[in-house]
């Protein structure tokens, strides 16, 4: 049985660490804004096992003039569960959440390797690539709601 529900920031670390921060200290899994009241974290569970996570922050990016913007961040699915549609379900959960909050735009910094995945879900690249130290090439991607 697979299901998604809202979780606490610290619960995301067990998936963020091996997928997004391998070899780094657990503290690197804490993102600015994780514990704000306007932030939500979602976990995908298979039975009792957390296998995927995503977080959504009420943060505006100057790349758009939309007033109600949300940043998707910390999207991660454990390697053995990747390519099974779990990431897509997590993105759809974020989209549903943002629509409920009357959000106008979802944006995020996508790793270069993840760009095709997000493009399949109708997200568009905005601007040029940029580097995040020790992580790699990224692109700002967005989708109007």
């Amino acid at each position: 049985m697979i299901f998604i529900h809202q979780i606490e920031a610290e619960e995301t670390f067990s998936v963020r660490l091996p997928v997004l921060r391998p070899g780094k200290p657990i503290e690197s899994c804490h993102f600015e804004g994780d514990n704000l009241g306007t932030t939500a974290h979602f976990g995908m569970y298979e039975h009792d096992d957390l296998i995927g996570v995503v977080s959504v922050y009420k943060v505006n990016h100057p790349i758009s003039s939309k007033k109600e913007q949300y940043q998707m961040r910390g999207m991660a699915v454990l390697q053995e569960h990747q390519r099974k549609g779990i990431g897509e379900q997590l993105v759809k959960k974020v989209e549903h959440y943002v629509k409920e909050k009357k959000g106008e735009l979802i944006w995020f910094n996508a790793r270069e390797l993840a760009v095709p995945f997000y493009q399949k879900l109708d997200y568009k690249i905005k601007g040029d690539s940029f580097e995040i130290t020790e992580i790699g090439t990224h692109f700002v991607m967005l989708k109007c709601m």
Side-chain angles (χ1 to χ4, degrees):
M1 181 174 156
I2 293 182
F3 59 94
I4 298 174
H5 71 92
Q6 199 161 341
I7 60 176
E8 297 296 320
E10 293 73 21
E11 293 175 86
T12 67
F13 296 0
S14 67
V15 178
R16 282 182 184 174
L17 186 62
V19 178
L20 301 177
R21 301 290 189 261
K24 301 216 183 301
I26 192 79
E27 297 79 27
S28 70
C29 294
H30 175 77
F31 300 157
E32 184 178 339
D34 266 351
N35 297 315
L36 294 176
T38 54
T39 299
H41 307 278
F42 298 100
M44 171 76 78
Y45 285 83
E46 183 176 58
H47 304 290
D48 291 331
D49 299 321
L50 183 61
I51 60 173
V53 297
V54 66
S55 301
V56 60
Y57 306 76
K58 189 166 186 342
V59 176
N60 286 4
H61 193 295
I63 209 159
S64 172
S65 61
K66 302 270 187 203
K67 291 186 179 167
E68 295 298 318
Q69 297 183 33
Y70 286 82
Q71 180 186 16
M72 184 166 53
R73 191 168 182 201
M75 166 73 149
V77 176
L78 293 176
Q79 186 173 5
E80 59 270 25
H81 296 281
Q82 292 177 3
R83 306 207 188 289
K84 297 179 181 177
I86 291 164
E88 182 175 347
Q89 290 179 60
L90 287 165
V91 171
K92 298 282 187 206
K93 180 66 176 177
V94 168
E95 290 176 356
H96 179 76
Y97 173 84
V98 170
K99 285 178 185 174
E100 283 185 335
K101 298 289 185 184
K102 308 271 191 268
E104 300 174 88
L105 179 89
I106 296 173
W107 69 274
F108 51 89
N109 298 324
R111 291 173 188 230
E112 186 173 31
L113 288 172
V115 167
F117 165 78
Y118 291 113
Q119 286 175 322
K120 288 179 188 172
L121 298 172
D122 297 322
Y123 286 86
K124 306 291 184 225
I125 292 174
K126 186 78 172 184
D128 297 325
S129 67
F130 60 95
E131 296 296 315
I132 296 181
T133 306
E134 297 184 23
I135 299 174
T137 303
H138 284 68
F139 293 87
V140 173
M141 297 190 78
L142 51 81
K143 182 178 188 178
C144 291
M145 302 310 296

